[in-house]
Amino acid sequence: MPLQRVAVFVAALWWGGLSALSFLAVPLLFATLGSPAIAGPVAAKIFSLQCWAGLVLGMALLLILRRWRVEGASIAPAALTTVGIVLFAMLLALVQEFGVAQNIVTARASGGNLRLWHGVGSAMVLGQWLCAGAVLWRVSGASGVKNQAR
């Protein structure tokens, strides 16, 4: 089914992007640049880009799942869970971008609890990564959306 292949591709981009940026690029920045004052703003830009990419890819997945229903395909109950996981990951990205990131900037400028906000941000990125991985697993056929109309 072509839509399932597109869904797998989009989910793989989402999970792979989160993996590469969060677990490779950002740690490499801090290791290479040495100074958190230099690496931090660059990492913040990467996480912001990651947020927006996640929102676009999440929206694409939601549209694909909706398309299955429009085409008259039967959506397994597991697919509704998949939609919920996508929405939760998108919510985490939004809260990270508009809540946590702002608190990190404020804490850095005012001497606030930077460690706390970095921990919260890291937990949100981990949550997004886990959600994107679960979505990839589900749409790849392990327990995901099945077209039962054909």
Side-chain angles (χ1 to χ4, degrees):
M1 154 187 219
L3 279 178
Q4 184 172 4
R5 288 182 184 194
V6 173
V8 170
F9 181 73
V10 171
L13 278 174
W14 193 6
W15 185 80
L18 280 163
S19 298
L21 293 175
S22 300
F23 304 122
L24 295 173
V26 171
L28 185 62
L29 271 175
F30 283 93
T32 304
L33 297 178
S35 168
I38 296 171
V42 178
K45 288 185 189 288
I46 288 174
F47 283 125
S48 182
L49 172 67
Q50 179 177 289
C51 163
W52 292 107
L55 291 172
V56 168
L57 294 170
M59 185 58 69
L61 283 166
L62 292 175
L63 291 172
I64 291 166
L65 291 171
R66 172 113 168 83
R67 177 72 184 233
W68 263 311
R69 190 171 285 251
V70 169
E71 289 182 352
S74 213
I75 297 183
L80 296 176
T81 303
T82 304
V83 168
I85 295 169
V86 170
L87 290 171
F88 184 66
M90 292 172 72
L91 177 64
L92 285 173
L94 285 170
V95 171
Q96 176 191 342
E97 178 69 13
F98 295 109
V100 175
Q102 299 305 314
N103 283 314
I104 289 173
V105 170
T106 302
R108 184 177 298 132
S110 67
N113 196 342
L114 191 58
R115 184 177 184 157
L116 167 72
W117 289 110
H118 273 132
V120 172
S122 295
M124 292 201 161
V125 169
L126 179 62
Q128 291 172 64
W129 181 76
L130 291 171
C131 287
V135 170
L136 176 58
W137 181 265
R138 297 173 77 80
V139 299
S140 66
S143 63
V145 180
K146 304 284 185 205
N147 183 353
Q148 299 176 15
R150 294 180 187 159

